[in-house]
Amino acid sequence: MKIVLASGNRGKVREFKELLGTEVIPYKELLGDIKIEESGKSFKENAIIKAKSIYESLGGKYIVLSDDSGISVPALGGEPGIYSARYAGEGASDKENLQKLIERLQSLGIARTPAYYTAAIAIATPSGIYTVHGWMWGEVIDEARGDKGFGYDPMFIPEGYEKTLGELDESVKKEISHRAKAARLAKVLLSVLEARG
């Protein structure tokens, strides 16, 4: 089964190929660089908007999977939340977003505080749009440690660990990440949809 991923993020494309164990095509290979307005008020709403937009643009010929994910820090009122990918501004890099969150914590004198990642996956198919979620709980720290992963991984310490995702082996992240949890549910859902034809 070929899946079109409603993301151009290379890290996500690589991760979904590994997690789903199937061919994953970034939508840009089929449609070029189109802008999708993420106007939802939740990760789920944004995932649905992206999946539906790409699905319709492709004329319903492919199963489209999208994910909207990010990190939330309760001590900051849930920031960056749905704005995780653009926390430092539209078009900001992962490094710039990471640095802004570190600086925000430092400005409040917070060295370590609870945080969690959320991943909402939407799957657009001829029979409808389906969604699944995954979460990863832990803490953020006011510094970046390690160079593995992407996004906020160098400052996030998962529950039960002492190292950041930036320091932990990729195999650990594949087991415990919010996206891995949601992708496992998506894989089950995709197999059910494929069996139904």
Side-chain angles (χ1 to χ4, degrees):
M1 176 188 312
K2 286 183 184 176
I3 306 288
V4 174
L5 185 64
S7 175
N9 181 306
R10 288 178 297 214
K12 284 186 183 183
V13 172
R14 183 184 71 249
E15 203 169 4
F16 273 112
K17 279 182 183 179
E18 293 170 7
L19 292 169
L20 295 174
T22 190
E23 186 176 358
V24 177
I25 305 164
Y27 79 91
K28 289 181 180 186
E29 286 184 16
L30 301 170
L31 296 172
D33 199 9
I34 61 171
K35 177 79 173 139
I36 302 168
E37 187 65 37
E38 294 182 37
S39 57
K41 304 234 184 305
S42 68
F43 293 112
K44 178 181 176 179
E45 286 180 19
N46 282 333
I48 290 170
I49 288 168
K50 291 186 279 190
K52 188 175 178 186
S53 174
I54 297 301
Y55 181 79
E56 289 172 355
S57 294
L58 292 170
K61 296 176 188 168
Y62 297 89
I63 291 176
V64 176
L65 184 145
S66 72
D67 116 296
D68 197 52
S69 56
I71 192 167
S72 300
V73 182
L76 302 179
E79 287 181 22
I82 61 169
Y83 304 104
S84 293
R86 52 194 183 278
Y87 191 49
E90 204 62 48
S93 69
D94 281 356
K95 191 173 184 174
E96 291 166 329
N97 288 326
L98 172 70
Q99 192 56 43
K100 179 173 179 180
L101 185 53
I102 287 171
E103 289 170 2
R104 182 93 165 90
L105 292 174
Q106 290 172 343
S107 74
L108 297 171
I110 300 172
R112 189 173 179 140
T113 189
Y116 59 94
Y117 273 110
T118 303
I121 293 177
I123 302 168
T125 73
S127 62
I129 296 177
Y130 305 88
T131 59
V132 294
H133 285 80
W135 289 270
M136 179 171 47
W137 306 93
E139 296 179 306
V140 287
I141 56 174
D142 67 348
E143 64 176 325
R145 295 193 327 222
D147 57 4
K148 295 184 179 93
F150 60 96
Y152 299 92
D153 289 354
M155 70 180 301
F156 185 84
I157 300 172
E159 198 170 75
Y161 293 85
E162 291 301 318
K163 293 181 177 181
T164 69
L165 288 174
E167 297 170 304
L168 290 170
D169 190 75
E170 284 290 322
S171 64
V172 174
K173 184 178 176 184
K174 285 180 194 170
E175 287 300 312
I176 66 171
S177 83
H178 55 303
R179 193 169 292 111
K181 291 172 184 174
R184 283 193 285 273
L185 294 173
K187 192 172 183 177
V188 170
L189 179 57
L190 288 166
S191 66
V192 169
L193 293 170
E194 189 175 36
R196 289 193 344 206

